[in-house]
Amino acid sequence: MKTTGFGDIMGNQPKKDLNYLDYSKDAVEGNTVQTTFKFQEVPKSEKALKLMQEGKIKDALALIDDALKEDSSNFQNWNAKALILDSSSEYEKAIECFDNALRLNDSDFIKKDKASTLYKFAKVTFFPEGDYEKAMGLIDAALESLPEGEDASEYLFLKAEIYESLGMPMETRLYYLKAEGEFEKANQLSDQIEFLKNSDDVLITVSGTNFYKGLDPFENGAIFNLVKQPDNEHDSDAIAIFSGDEQLGFVANSQYTLIDGVKSASEIKSIDDNQKAEVVFVFFDRYVVLRLVGD
C-alpha cells in the first residue's frame, strides 16, 4: 500500500528544498525595484520525512519528537511521526499518531494513510500471526477510514481471505465479488444471505442433483413434491424431490450439503405425505434453496 510522500505532508503541497529563498518586491522608485530576500525555515516535519526517505529512521524520530515538544497542536508533526512509525512497521503507534493528526485536521489524505497502515497491520496480524478475529477488526477499521472514491479492492480481497480462514464461505464469496468489482452479483448474494438469516419460512436445500438433471429444473418459483423414503438403505430419513413421476434429487441431510439457515431432511421428517416445496433461489450457483409450502 502506498502512503503519502514527503511532499504531501501539507495535503499534497509541492515539496521545497530544505533551505530556500523567498523574496518580495517593495515600492518602485523611478526605475528601481527594491527586492527583499529572506530565508524560509523548512518545517521539522518535512526534514524528518526526508530523513525517513534516506533510511535514517532514528534521526527522523528524534527530530519529529523534538518538533512535537515545540508544537503538539500541529497536525503536520503528528502525521509525519505516523508515517515514520509506519515505515518501521510500528503500526499500532502509527495509528495513534494518525488519530492525533485527524483530531486536529480531518483531511482525506491523512485518512488514506491511516487506512494503508491499518491494512498492513491487518495483513501481518492475519499472516503470519494467525489472529483472524483481530485482523478482521483491523481491516474493517481500514475500510472505514479509506476516503470515498479510493480503490478498496486490496482491502476487500484481504477481508475475503480472512473470512475464508474463518470457515465462512458465504461471506468469503461476497467479499471476493466486491473485490473483483462484481457489485451487482455481490448485492444479490448479500440479499440472499440476509434472507437465509431472517426468513420465517422452513427452508431446505437439494443434494444429488448431479445424478439427475442438474440445476436446470430448479427455476425460481417452481414447485416440487417431497416424498419420504423410510426404506432408503443409505438414510432412513431420506426425502426425495419429485417433479411429477421424475426424481430430481434429495432434501440435503449431511453437513457437506447443508448451509446456514436451512433444515435437514431429518429435521423435517414429520412432513405430510403431500408436502410441497417452492424454489426460492439458487445460492452460490450450487445450492438450490426451497421453502416448504402448502397444497
Side-chain angles (χ1 to χ4, degrees):
M1 306 297 295
K2 184 180 178 183
T3 57
T4 302
F6 163 54
D8 295 330
I9 187 69
M10 298 292 291
N12 296 319
Q13 295 283 334
K15 64 184 179 181
K16 304 174 183 177
D17 294 332
L18 291 183
N19 291 291
Y20 60 92
L21 287 171
D22 194 8
Y23 70 93
S24 60
K25 293 180 179 179
D26 297 325
V28 177
E29 298 179 0
N31 294 326
T32 303
V33 177
Q34 295 182 355
T35 304
T36 303
F37 290 91
K38 58 182 177 180
F39 281 96
Q40 297 291 331
E41 180 65 27
V42 175
K44 288 183 179 179
S45 57
E46 291 193 27
K47 292 180 180 179
L49 287 173
K50 184 157 182 71
L51 288 170
M52 176 194 77
Q53 290 183 330
E54 294 170 354
K56 301 173 182 177
I57 302 301
K58 289 184 178 179
D59 292 340
L61 283 172
L63 184 58
I64 200 62
D65 282 341
D66 186 49
L68 282 165
K69 287 179 182 177
E70 294 175 0
D71 187 1
S72 63
S73 64
N74 187 327
F75 80 92
Q76 301 169 38
N77 292 338
W78 285 112
N79 197 51
K81 184 167 184 178
L83 293 171
I84 296 165
L85 290 166
D86 173 275
S87 72
S88 56
S89 301
E90 294 281 350
Y91 300 129
E92 197 162 2
K93 293 179 181 178
I95 292 163
E96 291 177 3
C97 291
F98 279 130
D99 286 339
N100 287 336
L102 286 167
R103 278 191 283 271
L104 297 165
N105 188 312
D106 192 36
S107 299
D108 279 354
F109 78 96
I110 304 176
K111 292 177 182 177
K112 183 179 177 181
D113 283 340
K114 180 186 173 183
S116 175
T117 297
L118 284 161
Y119 169 85
K120 287 183 277 189
F121 194 10
K123 200 167 184 178
V124 298
T125 303
F126 171 56
F127 183 83
E129 293 178 17
D131 190 340
Y132 304 145
E133 296 291 346
K134 181 178 178 182
M136 184 65 77
L138 289 167
I139 199 62
D140 282 342
L143 285 164
E144 185 178 346
S145 178
L146 193 67
E148 187 176 352
E150 294 291 338
D151 182 9
S153 57
E154 286 185 84
Y155 299 77
L156 296 168
F157 269 119
L158 180 56
K159 186 163 183 173
E161 290 173 338
I162 298 169
Y163 270 129
E164 194 167 16
S165 296
L166 287 167
M168 301 174 70
M170 292 187 288
E171 290 79 2
T172 298
R173 176 70 176 278
L174 176 63
Y175 278 92
Y176 275 132
L177 286 171
K178 289 184 177 182
E180 292 162 0
E182 297 282 355
F183 297 112
E184 186 174 343
K185 290 182 179 179
N187 289 337
Q188 182 184 47
L189 180 59
S190 182
D191 289 343
Q192 292 174 347
I193 291 172
E194 285 302 307
F195 178 84
L196 290 170
K197 288 179 178 178
N198 301 311
S199 176
D200 294 328
D201 293 323
V202 177
L203 304 175
I204 58 173
T205 54
V206 186
S207 65
T209 55
N210 292 338
F211 298 103
Y212 298 95
K213 288 194 170 183
L215 300 179
D216 290 342
F218 297 99
E219 296 181 357
N220 287 8
I223 295 178
F224 302 100
N225 298 316
L226 303 186
V227 179
K228 292 186 284 188
Q229 294 183 337
D231 297 329
N232 187 297
E233 62 178 322
H234 300 293
D235 183 0
S236 62
D237 290 336
I239 300 174
I241 297 175
F242 277 83
S243 176
D245 296 329
E246 186 175 29
Q247 185 170 348
L248 302 175
F250 289 91
V251 176
N253 202 34
S254 79
Q255 60 177 329
Y256 304 108
T257 54
L258 292 169
I259 56 176
D260 291 342
V262 307
K263 301 289 187 182
S264 66
S266 296
E267 290 176 297
I268 65 164
K269 63 183 179 181
S270 61
I271 58 172
D272 297 334
D273 291 337
N274 61 349
Q275 180 66 59
K276 298 182 183 298
E278 178 186 8
V279 177
V280 182
F281 50 74
V282 177
F283 188 61
F284 268 21
D285 300 323
R286 174 181 174 186
Y287 300 100
V288 181
V289 178
L290 305 93
R291 64 185 182 92
L292 300 191
V293 295
D295 295 335

